[in-house]
Amino acid sequence: MKFTCFDFETANYSDASICAAGIAIFEDGVLTESRHWLIRPPKGHGFFRPNFIECHGLTWFDVCDAPEFPAIAPQLLEFLTSADFVIAHNAAFDLRKLRGTLAHFGLPCPPLDCRCTLQLAKRAWPGLPSYGLDALAAHIHHGFQHHNALSDAEAAGRALLAILKEMNRRSPV
């Protein structure tokens, strides 16, 4: 079983404001590859809100020389579409940002079989006080740097593996 976890950080509330992306690829329960990109949001979508900077620590100066999304899209989409399924924590957020950014640049969004560790964790561990990625990572004893796209993607993968173990399943299908 091969799955790819992804995570985005954004500059602001715009669906086209991705400023960082992280990918973690797991094959048969083992992290086999990971990638991180800084991304310059397109003109009109690159204002970095102070509360977003506080969250992920990225500013315009970190990404002003980075490529825009179309430069990394082919590789990122290949990682997503080559997996048996994709994983994100709070997948609705990341899928909305992916679709919004692709639409902004007039790029097609491939169909993705996406699963959400937020929703899966609620089924695996009913009654946890929180289902945020930081709380899940603590629950499974996985240390990570929250709101770093690469670290978040890997944490989502580790959470999925723990969820599958808890549910005595080989796949979230």
Side-chain angles (χ1 to χ4, degrees):
M1 169 179 69
K2 177 181 176 181
F3 62 91
T4 299
C5 306
F6 70 106
D7 184 76
F8 298 124
E9 300 300 329
T10 59
N12 56 59
Y13 295 109
S14 167
D15 287 345
S17 73
I18 293 173
C19 62
I23 295 282
I25 300 163
F26 289 79
E27 294 186 57
D28 299 322
V30 176
L31 177 65
T32 59
E33 189 171 358
S34 59
R35 297 287 169 92
H36 181 261
W37 297 271
L38 290 177
I39 301 162
R40 186 177 71 246
K43 188 173 183 168
H45 300 270
F47 170 73
F48 278 72
R49 291 183 54 92
N51 56 324
F52 284 54
I53 294 170
E54 286 177 29
C55 184
H56 53 56
L58 297 172
T59 70
W60 173 252
F61 297 106
D62 295 311
V63 302
C64 64
D65 294 326
E68 284 191 337
F69 195 82
I72 65 116
Q75 188 177 28
L76 184 140
L77 294 174
E78 174 61 27
F79 285 130
L80 296 177
T81 58
S82 67
D84 295 321
F85 56 90
V86 296
I87 291 290
H89 190 77
N90 192 10
F93 171 86
D94 292 293
L95 287 171
R96 187 176 69 248
K97 300 307 175 181
L98 176 63
R99 290 178 181 131
T101 300
L102 290 169
H104 174 83
F105 288 106
L107 300 171
C109 186
L112 297 173
D113 183 9
C114 189
R115 313 297 161 74
C116 178
T117 51
L118 175 69
Q119 299 304 318
L120 292 168
K122 288 179 179 180
R123 285 190 260 157
W125 299 298
L128 284 183
S130 172
Y131 294 94
L133 188 55
D134 53 343
L136 288 184
H139 183 72
I140 65 170
H141 309 289
H142 174 71
F144 78 120
Q145 182 184 349
H146 197 23
H147 296 298
N148 169 286
L150 178 57
S151 191
D152 285 359
E154 182 180 340
R158 301 285 180 205
L160 176 67
L161 293 173
I163 289 165
L164 293 176
K165 184 176 180 182
E166 177 70 19
M167 297 173 79
N168 197 27
R169 296 178 69 183
R170 292 180 41 84
S171 169
V173 177

